[in-house]
Amino acid sequence: MDFALPEHLPGLLAEMDAFIEAEIKPLEREHIQYFDQRREYARTDWENGGIPRREWEDLLDEMRRRADAAGWLRYGLPARFGGRDGSNLDMAVIREHLAHKGLGLHNDLQDESSIVGNFPQVIMMDRFGTEAQKSEWVEAVLTGKRSMAFGLTEPGHGSDATWLETTAVADGDGWIINGTKRWNTGVHRATHDLIFARTSGEPGQARGITAFLVPTDAPGFHVPFYWWTFNMPTDHGEVELKDVRVPGDAVLGEVDRGLEVGQTFLHENRIRQAASSLGAAQYCIDRAVAYAGDRVVFGKPLAVNQAVQWPLVELQTEAQMVRLLVRYAAAQLDANHHMEVSDKVSMANYRANRLVCEAADRAMQVHGGIGYSRHEPFEHIYRHHRRYRITEGAEEIQMRRIAQRLFGFGKAAK
């Protein structure tokens, strides 16, 4: 087996770094309050539900505009959408590389914002949308004219998505939707919310759930509050739908088969999320190793102590194993239907997300008091990545998926 990167990637990463230094780092330095110890305070509109400040999001928009103009933003999308047909393996290597560079405007994980964009909404639209929907949505999403929140989780139902209680009832040439959704990320600026609702069948059945593109300004669509979280600002809204009417063409995909749409969203996110977690973990390990070599205590470098060496050795070993797993899973995702390799994606995702939390915690410990402060990035990295062990499927759900394949349970058996 060849473990070398595809020939085009090393040069591509060097070009990307040059673009960051020339176009993005100067912009970051002009707005350094969003990246130093003030970052959480500067980014958050504390008096408006804790959502991101518009000035902060305007800066992210400018970063994306520059990246798009330079040909980077759409790299992972098909050429017909202005992309460069980047593979899942490409995206895994790129996402790891960018996160390994540390905090910065080039790749702000708190907002899933990067010079190389992650566009699961576009991929969903490409796979499941009608021609009319693609025409309305694809370019609009890429340029920011339209945006889509994701309404699957409910107050009483998270991982148990097939038990959701939101309903949609046919009404003439449209649908009437009623229910409540939780953790609708980005709904504060979204033009639409992708709402999953039961349209037939019984609770617990996968079939009978439909995905609807619901305008956020529709009568009966209401965001009563945003959940304040471990990492701020927050854009995770609670959404209430009371007799919200949408037309028939608001359905994305087939009626009663909406979970297929949702699975596409999750798998596309999981492999990129895993790669980003791996990159951030490697950043923490590298910083801890460098500090241990420079820090002198009791007359000798901190690094000579085995109590410091061995935890970092364990983490470095784990990082290398996870790297191989992430790239293997990404390559498998390129070669197969995403449901065929969902167990491999889940393996990479839960191990990488767990690794970065352990690496950030160890970096804090090695740095001592300064590592615990907000003047170092480790607390921010930990607080952000800790959510990945819950979102896009909690790690227990990922392990359940692997167990289905391993033990031959249910439809996931192979």
Side-chain angles (χ1 to χ4, degrees):
M1 181 179 290
D2 184 5
F3 291 97
L5 291 179
E7 290 183 358
H8 66 282
L9 276 177
L12 186 85
L13 297 178
E15 290 177 32
M16 193 178 300
D17 287 345
F19 166 74
I20 291 170
E21 290 302 318
E23 291 284 336
I24 304 302
K25 283 299 180 182
L27 188 62
E28 177 186 317
R29 287 191 288 269
E30 292 173 15
H31 301 87
I32 197 63
Q33 73 271 22
Y34 296 119
F35 303 97
D36 62 16
Q37 71 275 9
R38 299 166 291 179
R39 54 189 168 262
E40 189 171 50
Y41 178 80
R43 296 177 181 193
T44 305
D45 190 343
W46 299 99
E47 303 305 319
N48 190 25
I51 65 174
R53 289 188 185 277
R54 188 55 186 261
E55 298 86 353
W56 161 235
E57 294 194 313
D58 286 346
L59 179 62
L60 296 176
D61 288 343
E62 174 61 17
M63 177 274 289
R64 285 188 286 264
R65 187 195 65 76
R66 294 188 184 194
D68 202 17
W72 292 113
L73 187 69
R74 309 186 193 197
Y75 178 87
L77 292 176
R80 63 182 177 278
F81 298 142
R84 295 163 69 175
D85 296 313
S87 67
N88 282 296
L89 178 57
D90 285 358
M91 290 294 285
V93 172
I94 289 168
R95 282 284 174 152
E96 179 193 347
H97 178 79
L98 292 175
H100 188 193
K101 294 170 75 70
L103 299 185
L105 185 56
H106 67 284
N107 189 64
D108 191 78
L109 297 175
Q110 184 179 20
D111 299 86
E112 304 292 349
S113 180
S114 173
I115 62 166
V116 178
N118 185 30
F119 296 108
Q121 300 93 335
V122 173
I123 295 170
M124 285 191 300
M125 193 61 65
D126 186 35
R127 290 182 184 174
F128 298 100
T130 64
E131 290 305 313
Q133 287 173 329
K134 292 177 188 179
S135 177
E136 292 175 358
W137 273 92
V138 172
E139 188 63 21
V141 166
L142 293 170
T143 57
K145 293 179 180 177
R146 283 194 177 191
S147 54
M148 182 195 306
F150 192 74
L152 180 60
T153 301
E154 298 182 351
H157 304 283
S159 299
D160 54 342
T162 58
W163 292 82
L164 59 80
E165 297 176 56
T166 299
T167 60
V169 178
D171 179 57
D173 60 352
W175 298 83
I176 302 293
I177 304 175
N178 282 280
T180 304
K181 295 295 181 178
R182 181 161 289 175
W183 309 120
N184 281 225
T185 303
V187 75
H188 68 296
R189 289 188 66 180
T191 60
H192 293 71
D193 200 358
L194 187 63
I195 296 292
F196 292 83
R198 183 159 293 283
T199 47
S200 70
E202 300 295 327
Q205 293 180 344
R207 193 173 180 89
I209 294 172
T210 303
F212 295 91
L213 292 161
V214 180
T216 54
D217 61 357
F221 186 99
H222 179 53
V223 182
F225 64 91
Y226 291 86
W227 287 92
W228 286 37
T229 60
F230 195 32
N231 207 21
M232 294 291 283
T234 179
D235 58 355
H236 311 295
E238 190 90 347
V239 169
E240 296 175 350
L241 303 104
K242 186 174 181 181
D243 295 329
V244 175
R245 192 180 196 284
V246 295
D249 62 6
V251 173
L252 180 60
E254 296 182 38
V255 171
D256 291 340
R257 299 186 66 173
L259 282 187
E260 294 177 17
V261 179
Q263 287 283 9
T264 295
F265 181 94
L266 294 174
H267 282 123
E268 291 294 332
N269 265 357
R270 281 173 183 168
I271 193 63
R272 289 154 176 69
Q273 187 185 86
S276 293
S277 289
L278 170 60
Q282 191 66 66
Y283 170 81
C284 292
I285 295 167
D286 291 351
R287 284 289 310 277
V289 169
Y291 183 83
D294 293 338
R295 176 72 165 176
V296 176
V297 295
F298 301 106
K300 57 185 179 181
L302 189 62
V304 304
N305 297 290
Q306 289 179 332
V308 173
Q309 295 172 6
W310 290 4
L312 291 171
V313 167
E314 294 274 11
L315 288 168
Q316 182 65 21
T317 304
E318 177 79 4
Q320 183 58 28
M321 291 189 292
V322 169
R323 181 170 296 110
L324 295 174
L325 177 57
V326 167
R327 294 180 183 179
Y328 171 72
Q332 288 293 301
L333 198 55
D334 284 327
N336 299 277
H337 186 276
H338 66 96
M339 290 304 296
E340 291 297 311
V341 295
S342 62
D343 59 328
K344 307 298 188 301
V345 175
S346 289
M347 288 176 187
N349 186 264
Y350 95 82
R351 292 301 298 184
N353 294 337
R354 188 180 292 177
L355 171 65
V356 67
C357 290
E358 293 172 355
D361 183 75
R362 178 53 51 181
M364 286 188 219
Q365 192 70 21
V366 171
H367 280 75
I370 195 68
Y372 180 69
S373 79
R374 291 175 187 254
H375 295 259
E376 292 291 343
F378 309 122
E379 55 81 29
H380 180 81
I381 290 171
Y382 181 87
R383 285 188 291 111
H384 168 72
H385 283 274
R386 184 60 182 84
R387 74 173 180 165
Y388 281 165
R389 295 175 63 188
I390 301 171
T391 62
E392 265 68 34
E395 61 184 40
E396 292 83 2
I397 295 300
Q398 314 262 18
M399 295 171 79
R400 180 171 178 259
R401 166 62 65 176
I402 299 164
Q404 285 178 318
R405 291 286 172 88
L406 185 63
F407 292 98
F409 292 150
K411 292 182 180 179
K414 185 174 175 61

